[in-house]
Coordinates of all heavy atoms in Angstrom, one line a residue:
G155 N -17.5 -14.2 3.3 CA -18.1 -14.7 4.5 C -17.5 -14.2 5.7 O -18.2 -13.9 6.7
L156 N -16.2 -14.0 5.8 CA -15.5 -13.5 6.9 C -15.9 -12.0 7.2 O -16.2 -11.7 8.3 CB -14.0 -13.6 6.7 CG -13.2 -13.0 7.9 CD1 -13.2 -14.0 9.1 CD2 -11.7 -12.8 7.5
V157 N -16.0 -11.3 6.1 CA -16.4 -9.9 6.2 C -17.8 -9.8 6.8 O -18.1 -9.0 7.7 CB -16.3 -9.2 4.8 CG1 -17.1 -7.8 4.9 CG2 -14.9 -8.9 4.5
R158 N -18.7 -10.6 6.3 CA -20.1 -10.5 6.7 C -20.2 -11.0 8.2 O -21.0 -10.4 9.0 CB -21.0 -11.4 5.9 CG -21.0 -11.0 4.4 CD -21.9 -11.9 3.6 NE -23.3 -11.7 3.9 CZ -24.3 -12.6 3.8 NH1 -24.0 -13.8 3.4 NH2 -25.5 -12.3 4.1
G159 N -19.4 -12.0 8.6 CA -19.5 -12.5 10.0 C -18.9 -11.6 11.0 O -19.3 -11.5 12.1
L160 N -17.9 -10.8 10.5 CA -17.2 -9.9 11.5 C -17.9 -8.5 11.5 O -17.5 -7.7 12.4 CB -15.7 -9.7 11.0 CG -14.8 -10.8 11.3 CD1 -13.4 -10.5 10.7 CD2 -14.6 -11.0 12.8
A161 N -18.7 -8.2 10.6 CA -19.3 -6.8 10.5 C -19.9 -6.3 11.8 O -19.5 -5.2 12.2 CB -20.3 -6.8 9.3
V162 N -20.8 -7.0 12.3 CA -21.4 -6.5 13.5 C -20.5 -6.5 14.8 O -20.5 -5.5 15.5 CB -22.7 -7.3 13.8 CG1 -23.3 -6.9 15.2 CG2 -23.7 -7.1 12.7
P163 N -19.8 -7.6 15.0 CA -18.9 -7.5 16.2 C -17.9 -6.4 16.1 O -17.6 -5.7 17.1 CB -18.2 -8.9 16.2 CG -19.1 -9.8 15.5 CD -19.8 -8.9 14.4
L164 N -17.3 -6.1 14.9 CA -16.3 -5.1 14.8 C -16.9 -3.7 14.9 O -16.3 -2.7 15.4 CB -15.5 -5.2 13.5 CG -14.5 -6.4 13.5 CD1 -13.8 -6.4 12.1 CD2 -13.5 -6.3 14.6
A165 N -18.2 -3.6 14.4 CA -18.9 -2.3 14.4 C -19.0 -1.8 15.9 O -19.0 -0.6 16.2 CB -20.2 -2.4 13.7
R166 N -19.2 -2.8 16.8 CA -19.3 -2.4 18.2 C -18.1 -1.8 18.8 O -18.1 -1.1 19.8 CB -19.6 -3.7 19.1 CG -20.9 -4.4 18.7 CD -21.3 -5.5 19.7 NE -22.4 -6.3 19.3 CZ -22.3 -7.6 18.9 NH1 -21.1 -8.2 18.9 NH2 -23.3 -8.2 18.5
E167 N -16.9 -2.0 18.1 CA -15.7 -1.4 18.5 C -15.3 -0.2 17.6 O -14.1 0.2 17.6 CB -14.6 -2.4 18.5 CG -14.8 -3.6 19.4 CD -13.6 -4.5 19.5 OE1 -12.6 -4.1 20.2 OE2 -13.6 -5.6 19.0
K168 N -16.3 0.3 16.8 CA -16.1 1.4 15.9 C -15.1 1.1 14.8 O -14.4 2.0 14.3 CB -15.6 2.7 16.7 CG -16.6 3.2 17.8 CD -16.1 4.4 18.5 CE -17.0 4.9 19.5 NZ -16.5 6.0 20.3
I169 N -15.1 -0.2 14.4 CA -14.3 -0.6 13.3 C -15.2 -1.1 12.2 O -16.0 -2.1 12.4 CB -13.3 -1.7 13.7 CG1 -12.3 -1.2 14.8 CG2 -12.5 -2.2 12.5 CD1 -11.5 -2.3 15.4
R170 N -15.2 -0.5 11.1 CA -16.0 -0.9 9.9 C -15.2 -1.9 9.1 O -14.0 -1.8 8.9 CB -16.4 0.3 9.0 CG -17.2 1.4 9.7 CD -17.6 2.5 8.8 NE -16.3 3.2 8.3 CZ -15.6 4.1 9.0 NH1 -16.0 4.4 10.2 NH2 -14.6 4.6 8.5
I171 N -15.9 -2.9 8.6 CA -15.3 -3.9 7.7 C -16.2 -4.1 6.5 O -17.4 -4.2 6.7 CB -14.9 -5.2 8.3 CG1 -14.0 -6.1 7.4 CG2 -16.1 -6.0 8.8 CD1 -13.4 -7.3 8.1
G172 N -15.6 -4.1 5.3 CA -16.4 -4.3 4.1 C -15.5 -4.9 3.0 O -14.4 -5.2 3.3
A173 N -16.1 -5.0 1.8 CA -15.3 -5.6 0.7 C -15.7 -5.0 -0.6 O -16.9 -4.5 -0.7 CB -15.5 -7.1 0.6
V174 N -14.8 -4.9 -1.5 CA -15.1 -4.6 -2.9 C -15.1 -5.8 -3.7 O -14.3 -6.7 -3.5 CB -14.2 -3.5 -3.5 CG1 -14.4 -2.2 -2.8 CG2 -12.7 -3.9 -3.4
C175 N -16.1 -6.0 -4.6 CA -16.2 -7.2 -5.4 C -16.2 -6.7 -6.9 O -17.3 -6.6 -7.5 CB -17.5 -7.9 -5.1 SG -17.6 -8.4 -3.4
P176 N -15.0 -6.4 -7.4 CA -14.9 -6.0 -8.8 C -15.1 -7.1 -9.8 O -14.7 -8.3 -9.6 CB -13.5 -5.3 -8.9 CG -12.7 -6.0 -7.8 CD -13.7 -6.4 -6.8
G177 N -15.5 -6.7 -11.0 CA -15.5 -7.6 -12.2 C -14.0 -7.7 -12.7 O -13.1 -7.3 -12.0
F178 N -13.9 -8.1 -13.9 CA -12.6 -8.2 -14.5 C -11.9 -6.9 -14.6 O -12.4 -5.9 -15.1 CB -12.7 -8.9 -15.9 CG -13.1 -10.3 -15.9 CD1 -14.4 -10.7 -16.2 CD2 -12.1 -11.3 -15.5 CE1 -14.7 -12.0 -16.1 CE2 -12.5 -12.6 -15.5 CZ -13.8 -13.0 -15.8
T179 N -10.7 -6.8 -14.0 CA -10.0 -5.5 -13.9 C -8.6 -5.7 -14.6 O -7.9 -6.7 -14.4 CB -9.8 -5.2 -12.4 OG1 -11.0 -5.2 -11.7 CG2 -9.1 -3.8 -12.2
D180 N -8.2 -4.6 -15.3 CA -7.0 -4.6 -16.0 C -5.8 -4.4 -15.1 O -5.5 -3.2 -14.7 CB -7.0 -3.5 -17.1 CG -5.8 -3.6 -18.0 OD1 -5.0 -4.5 -17.9 OD2 -5.7 -2.7 -18.9
T181 N -5.2 -5.5 -14.6 CA -4.1 -5.4 -13.6 C -3.1 -6.5 -14.1 O -3.4 -7.3 -15.0 CB -4.5 -5.7 -12.2 OG1 -5.0 -7.1 -12.1 CG2 -5.7 -4.8 -11.8
P182 N -1.9 -6.6 -13.5 CA -1.0 -7.7 -13.8 C -1.6 -9.1 -13.6 O -1.2 -10.0 -14.3 CB 0.2 -7.4 -12.8 CG 0.2 -5.9 -12.6 CD -1.3 -5.6 -12.6
L183 N -2.6 -9.2 -12.7 CA -3.2 -10.5 -12.5 C -4.0 -11.0 -13.7 O -4.1 -12.2 -13.9 CB -4.2 -10.4 -11.3 CG -4.8 -11.7 -10.7 CD1 -3.7 -12.6 -10.1 CD2 -5.9 -11.4 -9.7
T184 N -4.5 -10.1 -14.5 CA -5.3 -10.4 -15.7 C -4.6 -10.1 -17.0 O -5.2 -10.1 -18.0 CB -6.7 -9.7 -15.6 OG1 -6.4 -8.3 -15.6 CG2 -7.5 -10.1 -14.4
A185 N -3.3 -9.9 -16.9 CA -2.6 -9.4 -18.1 C -2.8 -10.4 -19.3 O -2.9 -10.0 -20.5 CB -1.1 -9.3 -17.8
G186 N -2.8 -11.7 -19.0 CA -2.9 -12.7 -20.1 C -4.3 -12.7 -20.7 O -4.5 -13.4 -21.7
M187 N -5.3 -12.0 -20.1 CA -6.6 -12.0 -20.7 C -7.0 -10.8 -21.5 O -8.0 -10.7 -22.2 CB -7.7 -12.1 -19.5 CG -7.5 -13.2 -18.5 SD -8.8 -13.0 -17.2 CE -8.3 -14.4 -16.2
R188 N -6.1 -9.8 -21.5 CA -6.4 -8.5 -22.2 C -6.8 -8.7 -23.6 O -7.8 -8.1 -24.0 CB -5.2 -7.6 -22.1 CG -5.0 -7.0 -20.7 CD -3.8 -6.0 -20.6 NE -3.5 -5.7 -19.3 CZ -2.2 -5.6 -18.8 NH1 -1.2 -5.8 -19.7 NH2 -2.0 -5.3 -17.6
D189 N -6.1 -9.4 -24.4 CA -6.4 -9.5 -25.8 C -7.7 -10.2 -26.0 O -8.5 -9.8 -26.9 CB -5.3 -10.3 -26.5 CG -4.0 -9.5 -26.6 OD1 -4.0 -8.3 -26.4 OD2 -2.9 -10.1 -26.9
A190 N -8.0 -11.2 -25.2 CA -9.3 -11.9 -25.4 C -10.5 -11.0 -25.1 O -11.5 -11.0 -25.8 CB -9.3 -13.1 -24.5
F191 N -10.3 -10.2 -24.0 CA -11.4 -9.2 -23.7 C -11.5 -8.1 -24.8 O -12.6 -7.8 -25.1 CB -11.1 -8.6 -22.3 CG -11.6 -9.4 -21.2 CD1 -10.7 -10.4 -20.6 CD2 -12.8 -9.3 -20.6 CE1 -11.1 -11.2 -19.5 CE2 -13.3 -10.1 -19.6 CZ -12.4 -11.0 -19.0
A192 N -10.4 -7.6 -25.2 CA -10.5 -6.6 -26.3 C -11.1 -7.2 -27.5 O -11.9 -6.5 -28.2 CB -9.0 -6.1 -26.6
G193 N -10.7 -8.4 -27.9 CA -11.3 -9.0 -29.1 C -12.8 -9.2 -29.0 O -13.5 -9.2 -30.0
A194 N -13.3 -9.5 -27.8 CA -14.7 -9.7 -27.5 C -15.5 -8.4 -27.3 O -16.7 -8.4 -27.2 CB -14.9 -10.6 -26.3
G195 N -14.7 -7.3 -27.3 CA -15.4 -6.0 -27.0 C -15.9 -5.9 -25.6 O -16.8 -5.1 -25.4
F196 N -15.4 -6.6 -24.7 CA -15.9 -6.6 -23.3 C -15.0 -5.6 -22.5 O -13.8 -5.8 -22.4 CB -15.8 -8.0 -22.7 CG -16.5 -8.2 -21.4 CD1 -17.8 -8.6 -21.3 CD2 -15.8 -7.8 -20.2 CE1 -18.4 -8.7 -20.1 CE2 -16.5 -7.9 -19.0 CZ -17.8 -8.4 -18.9
P197 N -15.6 -4.6 -21.9 CA -14.8 -3.6 -21.1 C -14.3 -4.2 -19.8 O -14.9 -5.0 -19.2 CB -15.9 -2.5 -20.8 CG -17.2 -3.3 -20.8 CD -17.1 -4.4 -21.8
M198 N -13.1 -3.8 -19.5 CA -12.5 -4.1 -18.2 C -12.4 -2.9 -17.4 O -12.3 -1.8 -17.8 CB -11.0 -4.7 -18.4 CG -11.0 -6.0 -19.2 SD -9.3 -6.6 -19.4 CE -9.1 -7.4 -17.8
L199 N -12.5 -3.1 -16.1 CA -12.3 -2.0 -15.1 C -10.8 -1.6 -15.1 O -10.0 -2.4 -15.4 CB -12.7 -2.5 -13.7 CG -14.1 -2.7 -13.4 CD1 -14.3 -3.6 -12.2 CD2 -14.9 -1.4 -13.3
T200 N -10.6 -0.4 -14.7 CA -9.2 0.1 -14.5 C -8.9 -0.1 -13.0 O -9.9 -0.1 -12.2 CB -8.9 1.5 -14.9 OG1 -9.7 2.4 -14.1 CG2 -9.3 1.7 -16.4
A201 N -7.7 -0.1 -12.6 CA -7.3 -0.2 -11.2 C -7.9 1.1 -10.5 O -8.3 1.0 -9.3 CB -5.8 -0.3 -11.0
E202 N -7.9 2.2 -11.2 CA -8.4 3.4 -10.6 C -9.9 3.4 -10.3 O -10.3 3.9 -9.3 CB -8.0 4.6 -11.5 CG -6.5 5.0 -11.6 CD -5.7 3.9 -12.3 OE1 -6.3 3.2 -13.2 OE2 -4.5 3.9 -12.1
D203 N -10.6 2.7 -11.2 CA -12.1 2.5 -10.9 C -12.3 1.8 -9.6 O -13.1 2.2 -8.8 CB -12.7 1.6 -12.0 CG -12.7 2.3 -13.4 OD1 -12.8 3.5 -13.4 OD2 -12.7 1.5 -14.4
V204 N -11.5 0.7 -9.4 CA -11.6 -0.1 -8.2 C -11.1 0.7 -7.0 O -11.7 0.7 -5.9 CB -10.9 -1.4 -8.3 CG1 -11.2 -2.3 -7.0 CG2 -11.4 -2.2 -9.5
A205 N -10.1 1.5 -7.1 CA -9.5 2.3 -6.0 C -10.6 3.3 -5.5 O -10.7 3.5 -4.3 CB -8.3 3.0 -6.4
A206 N -11.3 3.9 -6.4 CA -12.4 4.8 -6.0 C -13.4 4.1 -5.2 O -14.0 4.6 -4.2 CB -13.0 5.5 -7.3
A207 N -13.8 2.8 -5.6 CA -14.7 2.1 -4.8 C -14.2 1.7 -3.5 O -14.9 1.7 -2.5 CB -15.1 0.8 -5.6
V208 N -12.9 1.4 -3.4 CA -12.3 1.1 -2.1 C -12.4 2.2 -1.1 O -12.8 2.1 0.0 CB -10.8 0.6 -2.3 CG1 -10.1 0.6 -0.9 CG2 -10.7 -0.7 -3.0
E209 N -12.1 3.4 -1.6 CA -12.2 4.6 -0.8 C -13.7 4.8 -0.3 O -13.9 5.1 0.9 CB -11.8 5.9 -1.5 CG -11.7 7.1 -0.6 CD -11.1 8.3 -1.3 OE1 -11.3 8.5 -2.5 OE2 -10.3 9.0 -0.6
S210 N -14.7 4.6 -1.2 CA -16.1 4.6 -0.8 C -16.4 3.6 0.3 O -17.1 3.9 1.3 CB -17.0 4.4 -2.0 OG -16.8 5.4 -2.9
A211 N -15.8 2.4 0.1 CA -16.1 1.3 1.0 C -15.6 1.6 2.4 O -16.1 1.2 3.4 CB -15.5 0.0 0.5
F212 N -14.5 2.3 2.5 CA -13.9 2.7 3.8 C -14.9 3.4 4.7 O -15.0 3.3 5.9 CB -12.7 3.5 3.7 CG -11.4 2.8 3.4 CD1 -10.5 3.2 2.4 CD2 -11.0 1.7 4.2 CE1 -9.4 2.5 2.1 CE2 -9.9 1.0 3.9 CZ -9.0 1.4 2.9
Y213 N -15.8 4.2 4.0 CA -16.7 5.1 4.7 C -18.2 4.6 4.6 O -19.1 5.4 4.9 CB -16.5 6.5 4.3 CG -15.1 7.0 4.5 CD1 -14.2 7.0 3.4 CD2 -14.6 7.3 5.8 CE1 -12.9 7.4 3.7 CE2 -13.3 7.6 6.0 CZ -12.4 7.7 4.9 OH -11.1 8.1 5.2
A214 N -18.4 3.4 4.2 CA -19.8 2.9 4.1 C -20.4 2.9 5.4 O -19.8 2.5 6.4 CB -19.8 1.5 3.5
E215 N -21.7 3.3 5.5 CA -22.4 3.4 6.8 C -22.8 2.0 7.3 O -22.8 1.7 8.5 CB -23.6 4.3 6.7 CG -23.2 5.7 6.4 CD -24.5 6.6 6.4 OE1 -25.6 6.1 6.7 OE2 -24.3 7.8 6.1
E216 N -23.2 1.1 6.4 CA -23.7 -0.2 6.8 C -22.5 -1.2 7.0 O -21.7 -1.4 6.1 CB -24.6 -0.8 5.7 CG -25.3 -2.1 6.1 CD -26.3 -2.5 5.1 OE1 -26.7 -1.7 4.3 OE2 -26.7 -3.7 5.2
P217 N -22.4 -1.8 8.2 CA -21.4 -2.8 8.4 C -21.5 -4.0 7.4 O -22.6 -4.4 7.1 CB -21.7 -3.3 9.9 CG -22.5 -2.2 10.5 CD -23.3 -1.6 9.4

Side-chain angles (χ1 to χ4, degrees):
L156 181 71
V157 165
R158 297 181 72 207
L160 285 174
V162 172
L164 288 182
R166 298 189 189 110
E167 300 191 70
K168 300 181 181 178
I169 300 171
R170 299 179 300 279
I171 189 168
V174 291
C175 300
F178 291 103
T179 307
D180 189 1
T181 69
L183 189 67
T184 59
M187 304 178 182
R188 286 181 191 139
D189 290 345
F191 277 90
F196 190 94
M198 297 183 79
L199 292 160
T200 67
E202 290 72 24
D203 292 332
V204 183
V208 170
E209 186 172 38
S210 296
F212 279 133
Y213 301 104
E215 292 185 7
E216 185 176 345

